[in-house]
């Protein structure tokens, strides 16, 4: 029994040593893995810090970009408001000018028609007076040939002829004046048409500028949407 007890004690001691050795090996492996995990965690921590720093810089860049884009949008919005105000002012000025030109045109047309009517009337009166002058001249020649009239009648008739001659000259002067006014009216109408054409060209130029600004605003909006999408992807 004593020998069996000793033998069993030896076996138990060997098992204990074996278990202790196995435990020591296992403990060394665990310690080695913990050291490896610590190194890996340090690397991951360093990488996370670097990624956090890069993300911070990216966010700062995005914020600066966003601020710049907001300033650009505000600037473009102010430009758009300025262009709209100028366009509205130009349209109002053009409308006012068109109304004024229309009134002037109507007045000049009316005056031209009246001048033309007076010119035609003066021509008719001139023709009629020339006919009367020819008739008086014929009668004067008849009177002069026949010498049947007295000196007083001849003087009176001569005075009437002089009056008629002065009246004809006055009518010719008035006819010339109305013709000159009619030509001035036509010239003013032509100048108004040229000014209206110039105004139309200026309005077309303003519309082209507005279309360019709208195109630029759409391009900036598209760029802003792309940047927002990129930042969202980076945050995700």
């Amino acid at each position: 029994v004593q020998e069996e007890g000793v033998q069993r004690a030896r076996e138990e001691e060997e098992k204990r040593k074996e278990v202790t050795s196995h435990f020591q090996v296992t403990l060394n492996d665990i310690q080695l893995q913990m050291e490896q995990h610590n190194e890996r965690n340090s690397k991951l921590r360093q990488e996370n810090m670097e990624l956090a720093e890069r993300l911070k810089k990216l966010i700062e860049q995005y914020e600066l970009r966003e601020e710049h884009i907001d300033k650009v949008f505000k600037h473009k919005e102010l430009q758009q408001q300025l262009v709209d105000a100028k366009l509205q002012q130009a349209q109002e000025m053009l409308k006012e000018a068109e109304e004024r030109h229309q009134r002037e045109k109507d007045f000049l047309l009316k005056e031209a028609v009246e001048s033309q009517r007076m010119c035609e009337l003066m021509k008719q009166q001139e023709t009629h007076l020339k006919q009367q002058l020819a008739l008086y001249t014929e009668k004067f020649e008849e009177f002069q040939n026949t010498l049947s009239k007295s000196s007083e009648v001849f003087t009176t008739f001569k005075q009437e002829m002089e009056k008629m001659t002065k009246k004809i000259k006055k009518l010719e002067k008035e006819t010339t004046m109305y013709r000159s006014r009619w030509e001035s009216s036509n010239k003013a109408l032509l100048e108004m048409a040229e000014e209206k054409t110039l105004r139309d060209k200026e309005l077309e130029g303003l519309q082209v500028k507005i279309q360019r600004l709208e195109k630029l605003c759409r391009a900036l909006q598209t760029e802003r949407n792309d940047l927002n999408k990129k930042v969202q992807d980076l945050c995700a």
Side-chain angles (χ1 to χ4, degrees), residues 180-236:
S180 176
R181 291 177 63 185
W182 181 71
E183 291 176 354
S184 299
S185 299
N186 286 334
K187 184 178 180 180
L189 287 173
L190 292 175
E191 291 177 354
M192 287 172 62
E194 292 178 357
E195 186 176 357
K196 185 177 183 301
T197 303
L198 182 61
R199 294 289 184 183
D200 292 338
K201 290 182 179 179
E202 291 179 355
L203 182 60
E204 290 177 358
L206 288 174
Q207 290 176 353
V208 169
K209 290 182 179 179
I210 290 173
Q211 291 176 359
R212 290 179 180 174
L213 287 174
E214 289 177 351
K215 185 176 180 182
L216 179 59
C217 288
R218 287 195 295 270
L220 289 173
Q221 185 67 32
T222 303
E223 183 180 356
R224 182 179 180 180
N225 293 333
D226 293 338
L227 288 173
N228 286 330
K229 186 176 179 181
K230 289 180 179 179
V231 170
Q232 290 176 1
D233 293 339
L234 288 173
C235 291

Side-chain angles (χ1 to χ4, degrees), residues 46-140:
Q46 184 66 27
E47 290 178 356
N48 288 334
M49 291 176 64
E50 292 178 356
L51 287 174
E53 188 67 24
R54 290 174 61 186
L55 182 59
K56 182 180 179 181
K57 290 181 179 180
L58 183 62
I59 291 173
E60 290 177 354
Q61 291 178 358
Y62 171 75
E63 290 177 352
L64 291 175
R65 180 66 176 176
E66 189 73 16
E67 184 179 358
H68 176 68
I69 290 174
D70 290 337
K71 290 182 180 179
V72 171
F73 273 122
K74 289 180 181 178
H75 181 66
K76 294 301 179 183
E77 185 177 359
L78 291 176
Q79 285 184 346
Q80 183 69 33
Q81 292 177 359
L82 180 61
V83 171
D84 292 338
K86 288 184 177 180
L87 178 60
Q88 185 178 0
Q89 184 180 5
Q91 289 176 350
E92 291 177 355
M93 291 175 63
L94 181 61
K95 183 179 179 181
E96 183 180 355
E98 287 179 351
E99 292 177 354
R100 185 175 68 253
H101 290 168
Q102 186 64 35
R103 290 194 299 269
E104 291 178 356
K105 181 180 178 182
D106 294 338
F107 175 75
L108 290 174
L109 284 173
K110 184 177 179 181
E111 188 175 0
V113 171
E114 183 67 21
S115 299
Q116 189 174 5
R117 188 183 68 82
M118 291 297 296
C119 184
E120 294 293 335
L121 182 61
M122 292 298 176
K123 287 182 180 179
Q124 293 176 2
Q125 291 181 0
E126 182 181 358
T127 302
H128 180 67
L129 290 174
K130 285 182 179 179
Q131 291 176 357
Q132 288 184 355
L133 180 61
L135 179 61
Y136 289 152
T137 302
E138 184 179 355
K139 288 182 180 181
F140 175 73

Side-chain angles (χ1 to χ4, degrees), residues 158-192:
K158 186 177 180 181
Q159 290 176 354
E160 289 181 358
M161 285 184 63
E162 290 177 353
K163 290 180 180 179
M164 292 298 297
T165 304
K166 291 180 180 180
K167 192 173 183 180
I168 289 172
K169 290 182 178 179
K170 182 179 179 181
L171 288 173
E172 288 178 349
K173 185 177 180 180
E174 290 179 354
T175 302
T176 304
M177 180 185 68
Y178 281 113
R179 186 181 293 111
S180 176
R181 291 177 63 185
W182 181 71
E183 291 176 354
S184 299
S185 299
N186 286 334
K187 184 178 180 180
L189 287 173
L190 292 175
E191 291 177 354
M192 287 172 62

Side-chain angles (χ1 to χ4, degrees), residues 12-47:
E12 290 294 332
E13 183 66 22
E14 289 179 0
K15 288 181 179 181
R16 187 182 64 77
K17 289 180 179 181
E18 184 178 355
V19 170
T20 302
S21 177
H22 180 70
F23 177 75
Q24 185 67 34
V25 172
T26 303
L27 184 62
N28 292 333
D29 291 337
I30 291 173
Q31 187 175 2
L32 181 60
Q33 290 180 3
M34 287 180 64
E35 291 177 355
Q36 292 177 354
H37 282 300
N38 288 331
E39 292 179 358
R40 189 177 300 171
N41 288 333
S42 298
K43 291 181 179 179
L44 290 175
R45 191 180 299 108
Q46 184 66 27
E47 290 178 356

